[in-house]
Amino acid sequence: MKILNIGLYLLVSLSLLCSCSGADDSDNDMDSFISALMDEMTLEEKLGQMNLVTGGDIVTGYVMSNELEQLIRQNQIGGVFNVKGAEKILELQRIAVEETRHGIPLLVGADIIHGYETIFPIPLALSCSWDSVAVERMARISAIESAASGINWTYSPMVDICRDPRWGRIAEGNGEDPYLSSILGPAYVRGYQGKDMSGKDEIMSCVKHFALYGAVEAGRDYTTVDMSRQRMFNEYLPPYKAAIQSGAASVMNSFNLIDGVPAAANKWLMVDVLRDMWGFDGLLATDYGSISEMATLGYAPLTQASVKALEAGTDMDMVSSGYLNTLRESLENKNVSIGMIDRACRRVLEAKYRLGLFKDPYKYCDTTAATTKVFTAEHRRIARDIATETFVLLKNNNQTLPISPKGRIALVGPMADAGNNMCGMWSMTCTPSKHQSLKEAMEEELKDVAELIYAKGCNVYADETTEINANGIRQITRGNDDVMLRQAIAAASKADVIVAALGESAEMSGESASRADIELPDVQKRLLKAMVSTGKPVVLLLFTGRPLVLTWEDANVDAILNIWYGGSEAGAAICDVVFGHVSPSGKLTTTFPRSMGQVPIYYNHMNTSRPDSDPNVFNRYQSNYIDERNEPLYPFGFGLSYTTFAYGELRLDKTTLTEGESIKATINVTNTGDFKATEIVQLYTHDIYASLARPVKELKGFERITLNPGESRDVTFSITPDMLRFYNSKLEYVWEPGEFEVMVGPDSEHLSTCKFELK
Ligand code: BGC
């Protein structure tokens, strides 16, 4: 029935050719085309369009059915996701186009979160580059590779603000700051969608998880969020809004409750905020099984849950089959109207139209494209360069790093020879066996110039059952911990310097990977202690998807370089930094606590009525702990370099600001060391008194600058009243006159401060 559909496309397009003009032509064409199509569709066919099923190749929950082909023939599917392979996708698309009455093509979704085959660092790492150009480039390459592999819809970016490192999904977002995330989210969208999704390598992005998923209680998945509207609007919602308003064509709602109502059924959030306040008219899909899980949340069984979700403007039901199987009955019982069903079905069809699928249903099905467009040398080179920007140097005593490539270097740790663990958890489309391990990359780098002595040293955890490995492909082979420790000590005794590649295995972060204890796992810490007691310089290369508690490490290890998960090219990128070809420049986008009891800990907190006056002692009746300091181990914005940067005094060109004006805040930065390096200069403001208490500081700007040794540069920020707005108790977005502090510096704790007045 392909003919009918394409015929309809041409007929409607031709008849509109003469009648329309102006900027809205394409929207008018789309409306007419879809109206004509929907006039022909039965209720079942409409409900089918609203049903999104998993292909089951990549699984994050239960799988409803494997009989995809049959479901497509029966018009029961509008989209499918997580199917791997262009050939397979082509066949599904062919069935949809040629073996159904209207030949409506499928949306083909996937979690392409930080690359398809060429894998880039995990999003949390990418955010530490503070480089929106790099993020956009990575999303563009992800789109090119995905499009060449049959995929037209990615479930990215995730812009959930997170202040709790127990939550494994902190790895998937941009960290704790709404301003930075509001810059990076749109960069993802631009990269994926390109000009307007019409190009062959442009795919649809999906902003998730709307909303507040990063604030789940106790850092556990699928649970509750409860927060004030002021906090939502000022601290959590801005990144979703920015990404959506940058043109994202779809949104995924979140698993959590908000005000006691599951997000997918939360009419206030989905209709009042998303649709009405922000003007989003794109496709709104649920997360995996959100509708059916409303029953276990204690909200509603499937039939009522489906009604509630539809009422809340949720268009597509991911894997619950609630829309498909219950909405007919609800329509007959007058619990929903045909208008509501039509609206949802229309939005699904509009997304397909905007992707150009009606014009060319096989747009993404060129089965030869992958050979020239996927995992190319060019893509891999870019991934390697970007990875070097994301590592964060947390400590570097006596310039232990970079290491001179000479003499004998011991490499120990379970992450050292685990090429299958370099990419992190959301990289299920890639082929881990293609990735070089750190050991292999170091062998290549040190060939003929230095001796590399490798010993694994330990397992990830002493107890095998604590090692999760849901997908099998990332298993790190196990050995006897005592034997491995002895081998590592022997290797270390022969070496001039020890590199310990430790941390979390890839599956210890991401979805369903919360940790109550965020220290280095038991046997790994034992190995590190043994390495430190050799008295030789020890470099810790830390693989992690979240901030860890590194208090012991910070006190005892010479150098710590946080790698996160660097992607398919991580091995070479680590060598670039460890051996000094590139200076590290990443800065933390999430606070590293001293101990778990400090969580949630984040830089942009409110002041307390009794701030701690001396961090070195316990102060009764002040806001502090008996057994821990207040400050983090490593603050937001922190990251060292191989060079040193000297900051001058902050200067303002004036000290009063009125509407329509700006203040120029200038600071001089000099590279006072021996390395060419990039610095991220950060601007924060503080509203001293306001009708609602405001955070002690909030990031409002930053600039990445690269300076040669000895080079100096003035960095100037422009401060406008608009930057000082916040949502007040009536949720009006206002600035209030009064005194402000402006702070500039290398991280959120080392800042030079001036004051000005907003009139
Ligand atoms: C996750 C989403 C993801 C979806 C589809 C869910 O479990 O929460 O982020 O996009 O699965 O794989």
Side-chain angles (χ1 to χ4, degrees):
M1 283 292 162
K2 177 181 165 192
I3 309 297
L4 175 69
N5 186 35
I6 298 298
L8 179 67
Y9 181 86
L10 290 175
L11 197 73
V12 175
S13 305
L14 281 174
S15 71
L16 288 164
L17 211 63
C18 324
S19 61
C20 308
S21 63
D24 292 328
D25 273 7
S26 57
D27 275 356
N28 290 338
D29 292 358
M30 177 175 76
D31 289 348
S32 311
F33 172 77
I34 291 175
S35 297
L37 176 58
M38 284 180 61
D39 284 347
E40 304 286 319
M41 288 171 74
T42 62
L43 175 64
E44 267 64 34
E45 287 165 345
K46 289 176 184 171
L47 296 178
Q49 286 302 309
M50 293 150 63
N51 191 33
L52 176 59
V53 300
T54 174
D57 288 352
I58 297 158
V59 180
T60 58
Y62 58 87
V63 180
M64 294 291 286
S65 172
N66 288 323
E67 291 160 18
L68 274 183
E69 300 174 4
Q70 206 42 29
L71 294 174
I72 298 171
R73 286 191 187 97
Q74 290 163 352
N75 297 298
Q76 295 192 346
I77 294 183
V80 56
F81 67 100
N82 289 349
V83 179
K84 193 177 174 190
E87 304 268 349
K88 210 160 154 186
I89 293 171
L90 169 65
E91 177 55 10
L92 298 179
Q93 200 64 283
R94 192 197 61 73
I95 296 172
V97 173
E98 296 181 11
E99 297 187 31
T100 66
R101 208 162 71 95
H102 301 294
I104 301 172
L106 296 166
L107 288 176
V108 181
D111 291 284
I112 308 303
I113 310 294
H114 50 111
Y116 181 83
E117 270 289 355
T118 306
I119 301 289
F120 294 79
I122 58 168
L124 184 58
L126 284 170
S127 72
C128 292
S129 71
W130 301 50
D131 186 349
S132 57
V133 176
V135 167
E136 183 172 340
R137 196 170 292 152
M138 104 72 212
R140 188 85 288 281
I141 291 172
S142 303
I144 293 169
E145 295 198 359
S146 303
S149 311
I151 291 158
N152 53 42
W153 187 18
T154 178
Y155 304 135
S156 170
M158 173 182 126
V159 293
D160 305 332
I161 294 296
C162 181
R163 297 163 166 180
D164 190 336
R166 288 173 297 183
W167 194 48
R169 305 200 75 171
I170 195 172
E172 300 172 47
N174 299 317
E176 71 191 34
D177 185 68
Y179 174 82
L180 180 61
S181 194
S182 298
I183 289 179
L184 299 183
Y188 279 89
V189 174
R190 288 194 301 273
Y192 293 132
Q193 296 194 174
K195 191 167 60 67
D196 58 3
M197 305 196 301
S198 65
K200 276 205 163 209
D201 58 12
E202 295 172 342
I203 64 174
M204 178 161 69
S205 77
C206 183
V207 176
K208 71 186 188 188
H209 306 88
F210 191 66
L212 320 178
Y213 193 29
V216 273
E217 279 180 1
R220 273 192 293 122
D221 281 305
Y222 323 119
T223 181
T224 299
V225 173
D226 197 3
M227 71 169 69
S228 72
R229 298 268 153 106
Q230 281 69 35
R231 175 166 267 190
M232 281 185 207
F233 275 82
N234 284 310
E235 300 167 32
Y236 281 80
L237 294 183
Y240 304 104
K241 184 178 178 198
I244 288 162
Q245 294 192 335
S246 74
S250 73
V251 170
M252 181 188 295
N253 40 42
S254 54
F255 287 123
N256 49 285
L257 294 170
I258 296 167
D259 298 335
V261 179
N266 197 308
K267 210 168 166 184
W268 170 76
L269 194 64
M270 300 301 149
V271 178
D272 298 0
V273 177
L274 178 66
R275 301 285 192 194
D276 295 348
M277 211 182 272
W278 297 353
F280 176 69
D281 70 348
L283 174 64
L284 177 58
T286 72
D287 202 347
Y288 207 115
S290 290
I291 295 182
S292 55
E293 288 169 15
M294 286 185 204
T296 40
L297 277 172
Y299 182 71
L302 191 65
T303 302
Q304 285 88 334
S306 305
V307 171
K308 295 281 185 192
L310 189 68
E311 270 174 358
T314 300
D315 305 311
M316 230 179 172
D317 165 4
M318 186 191 283
V319 308
S320 296
S321 299
Y323 281 2
L324 185 74
N325 295 329
T326 70
L327 285 183
R328 164 175 279 283
E329 184 193 331
S330 297
L331 181 66
E332 283 162 6
N333 295 336
K334 301 203 171 17
N335 290 327
V336 297
S337 67
I338 188 66
M340 288 158 70
I341 292 172
D342 280 352
R343 186 188 56 192
C345 172
R346 177 176 286 274
R347 290 213 185 98
V348 176
L349 297 173
E350 283 175 353
K352 295 180 177 185
Y353 189 98
R354 291 193 173 114
L355 277 166
L357 288 173
F358 286 110
K359 210 188 274 182
D360 177 7
Y362 299 110
K363 181 179 162 196
Y364 299 92
C365 291
D366 176 356
T367 50
T368 61
T371 47
T372 54
K373 295 196 170 158
V374 172
F375 207 56
T376 64
E378 172 74 351
H379 291 176
R380 295 178 60 196
R381 187 190 57 71
I382 295 171
R384 174 174 172 173
D385 288 349
I386 290 178
T388 63
E389 286 186 22
T390 65
F391 307 150
V392 186
L393 183 61
L394 298 173
K395 186 180 176 192
N396 196 17
N397 265 13
N398 307 321
Q399 296 185 315
T400 309
L401 279 173
I403 296 175
S404 307
K406 59 176 197 235
R408 289 170 160 181
I409 300 169
L411 175 65
V412 302
M415 304 306 149
D417 198 18
N420 58 352
N421 263 256
M422 307 297 257
C423 293
M425 189 267 213
W426 266 135
S427 51
M428 298 168 194
T429 45
C430 75
T431 315
S433 57
K434 290 185 189 169
H435 308 158
Q436 212 179 23
S437 72
L438 175 59
K439 172 175 167 273
E440 289 157 353
M442 279 199 176
E443 277 163 356
E444 204 172 300
E445 173 86 22
L446 299 175
K447 195 162 166 268
D448 303 330
V449 293
E451 187 185 344
L452 187 73
I453 314 166
Y454 166 73
K456 187 171 168 192
C458 63
N459 291 308
V460 176
Y461 274 105
D463 173 12
E464 184 168 9
T465 57
T466 322
E467 272 183 35
I468 53 169
N469 183 32
N471 290 290
I473 49 174
R474 302 202 184 85
Q475 183 70 53
I476 298 179
T477 44
R478 287 183 62 86
N480 178 302
D481 274 312
D482 293 335
V483 173
M484 289 191 287
L485 179 64
R486 280 199 294 278
Q487 289 165 346
I489 293 170
S493 70
K494 294 183 216 137
D496 308 312
V497 55
I498 301 163
V499 177
L502 307 176
E504 302 185 309
S505 60
E507 295 201 11
M508 285 169 68
S509 59
E511 184 173 350
S512 184
S514 298
R515 292 183 67 196
D517 171 1
I518 55 168
E519 300 213 11
L520 267 185
D522 44 24
V523 273
Q524 295 196 59
K525 197 133 178 182
R526 182 173 79 150
L527 172 66
L528 187 61
K529 285 184 175 168
M531 295 299 102
V532 168
S533 41
T534 62
K536 306 207 172 173
V538 176
V539 173
L540 169 59
L541 299 182
L542 193 67
F543 291 75
T544 174
R546 54 160 61 78
L548 297 185
V549 167
L550 299 172
T551 312
W552 184 88
E553 291 76 1
D554 182 68
N556 293 284
V557 175
D558 301 286
I560 307 176
L561 183 68
N562 212 68
I563 302 298
W564 312 104
Y565 298 107
S568 53
E569 312 312 311
I574 296 169
C575 289
D576 289 341
V577 172
V578 165
F579 297 108
H581 309 312
V582 182
S583 170
S585 60
K587 301 252 190 180
L588 296 178
T589 57
T590 173
T591 303
F592 274 48
R594 285 172 191 277
S595 63
M596 197 49 232
Q598 292 180 312
V599 168
I601 181 167
Y602 49 96
Y603 85 95
N604 48 352
H605 56 83
M606 301 296 166
N607 212 343
T608 75
S609 56
R610 297 185 192 179
D612 192 25
S613 56
D614 179 356
N616 297 310
V617 290
F618 172 62
N619 297 296
R620 193 111 222 176
Y621 307 117
Q622 290 187 358
S623 179
N624 57 172
Y625 299 102
I626 297 172
D627 53 355
E628 184 56 275
R629 300 166 74 96
N630 283 356
E631 334 85 70
L633 185 64
Y634 305 122
F636 176 86
F638 174 77
L640 300 169
S641 164
Y642 290 162
T643 195
T644 42
F645 293 102
Y647 278 69
E649 279 306 304
L650 177 63
R651 308 173 322 255
L652 303 188
D653 68 342
K654 57 184 178 223
T655 52
T656 53
L657 180 61
T658 50
E659 183 144 34
E661 286 190 342
S662 65
I663 288 183
K664 302 257 174 287
T666 303
I667 202 157
N668 185 268
V669 184
T670 307
N671 181 341
T672 48
D674 302 328
F675 259 88
K676 176 181 174 182
T678 297
E679 169 69 334
I680 302 166
V681 184
Q682 301 159 36
L683 168 86
Y684 299 84
T685 62
H686 174 212
D687 189 343
I688 298 174
Y689 300 113
S691 59
L692 296 179
R694 305 295 303 131
V696 292
K697 58 192 77 148
E698 294 173 275
L699 183 73
K700 294 289 173 160
F702 60 88
E703 203 175 311
R704 302 179 86 249
I705 54 168
T706 302
L707 297 178
N708 286 311
E711 195 182 345
S712 207
R713 190 172 314 161
D714 271 353
V715 176
T716 299
F717 296 98
S718 188
I719 303 166
T720 63
D722 266 347
M723 288 162 62
L724 307 170
R725 286 178 191 272
F726 66 98
Y727 289 90
N728 67 15
S729 58
K730 294 187 198 142
L731 296 182
E732 296 156 340
Y733 195 47
V734 296
W735 52 264
E736 293 179 354
E739 236 189 333
F740 285 77
E741 283 176 318
V742 50
M743 297 158 265
V744 179
D747 62 61
S748 64
E749 277 188 2
H750 298 93
L751 298 164
S752 169
T753 306
C754 287
K755 280 189 182 171
F756 67 88
E757 195 181 345
L758 176 60
K759 293 211 163 157

